[in-house]
Amino acid sequence: MRNTTIFALAAVLPFVLGHGDEGNGAAEGHAASSVSVQDFGAAFTAGGIVPDVLAAFNPTVAFYASYNTADGHGAALIAPGTELSTAEAVAPQEFSVEGIANAANVTDSTRFIIVMVGPDAPSRANPTNRSIRHYLAGNFTVGTAVSSVLSTASTLVNSSAPFTSYGPPAPPAGTGVHRYIYLLYVQPEALNGEGFDSVGLVADDRQTFDLVQFRTQAGLGPAIGGTYFTIDAAGGNGTAEGSGNSPVPSSGSVSIVSFAGVLATFFLAVALL
């Protein structure tokens, strides 16, 4: 009887231990998965971006940014709500998009604007500097190359220098979780030959950026896509390694519970022998 129980456990363990390897695909070098526009919208609401930063968010395209993982597995996709470290957030590696044909009034020659803001300055509980403009660039077009991270997405390529170059997040120590939001807009044709200084912006003035006012000045419609990541500065400037995971539970958590259940069953069976 004892030998039968041990044999049964040995047969089950490889399946249980191997089951958790599927989680966190992009960060471990596996193929990334698409995110639906419905899930993007729900994530912005769950993360409080609606209504803290946007009155509403109804994306029509899936917009992605990627980053280099701290564990050396290369570039990974930023699913909405992914937690990064400051080292991982030092610069985006790629912008890409799925379903661009679903956006209204978009043609092959349409250009796009990408802006990244940090609304939680100096903290989410006391956002007196909402928002910091970390990045602003126009004249993006949909390229012919496929994303290096997500094979179903097309890269967005820029034909000019950013108006506001990328400023890496550096949340103050002890200020909790900070959100960093990318938004994708259709660029009005009137801006194709103009810089954003033509609508009243100063390139180096990143502080207290008013997103609503910017949309009005630039003549922008609602964002057609967006994503966001977080940095936890509770323990010291967010320098600890990020998890690389979005808040969506992965199959890995299921495998841990299953393994614990198998062990409990095994020891109970042995005790009864």
Side-chain angles (χ1 to χ4, degrees):
M1 180 68 174
R2 182 185 299 270
N3 290 339
T4 302
T5 304
I6 294 174
F7 175 78
L9 178 63
V12 172
L13 274 176
F15 171 77
V16 175
L17 291 175
H19 185 66
D21 292 340
E22 300 169 4
N24 196 23
E28 296 185 0
H30 302 297
S33 299
S34 298
V35 179
S36 70
V37 292
Q38 292 81 8
D39 285 344
F40 273 110
F44 269 51
T45 300
I49 296 167
V50 176
D52 289 355
V53 181
L54 302 172
F57 182 61
N58 299 294
T60 53
V61 305
F63 170 75
Y64 303 101
S66 65
Y67 67 99
N68 273 336
T69 60
D71 57 13
H73 284 100
L77 207 65
I78 297 178
T82 299
E83 181 184 347
L84 303 183
S85 66
T86 51
E88 290 172 324
V90 70
Q93 299 304 306
E94 180 187 81
F95 297 122
S96 60
V97 67
E98 286 180 305
I100 196 64
N102 296 328
N105 302 317
V106 167
T107 68
D108 291 342
S109 60
T110 298
R111 300 182 187 184
F112 303 91
I113 294 168
I114 297 175
V115 60
M116 174 182 155
V117 297
D120 304 322
S123 69
R124 184 170 177 177
N126 185 36
T128 55
N129 288 339
R130 177 170 292 170
S131 291
I132 305 298
R133 187 174 73 238
H134 286 270
Y135 181 75
L136 175 61
N139 296 317
F140 279 93
T141 56
V142 179
T144 57
V146 172
S147 166
S148 62
V149 182
L150 182 63
S151 61
T152 53
S154 299
T155 56
L156 289 168
V157 293
N158 193 322
S159 58
S160 61
F163 180 76
T164 300
S165 60
Y166 185 82
T175 56
V177 175
H178 289 246
R179 299 163 295 178
Y180 299 94
I181 306 158
Y182 284 109
L183 294 168
L184 178 69
Y185 294 94
V186 173
Q187 179 171 305
E189 290 186 7
L191 288 177
N192 286 357
E194 302 288 339
F196 293 110
D197 50 355
S198 66
V199 297
L201 292 187
V202 177
D204 295 331
D205 184 9
R206 301 173 181 268
Q207 305 294 317
T208 58
F209 175 62
D210 189 325
L211 185 61
V212 174
Q213 183 180 6
F214 169 64
R215 278 189 55 201
T216 300
Q217 291 172 319
L220 305 183
I224 63 170
T227 191
Y228 78 100
F229 64 90
T230 65
I231 293 178
D232 189 352
N237 202 30
T239 54
E241 182 175 330
S243 68
N245 289 326
S246 71
V248 180
S250 70
S251 59
S253 60
V254 177
S255 66
I256 293 172
V257 174
S258 301
F259 180 46
V262 170
L263 283 180
T265 302
F266 168 70
F267 287 119
L268 177 61
V270 171
L272 293 175
L273 292 178

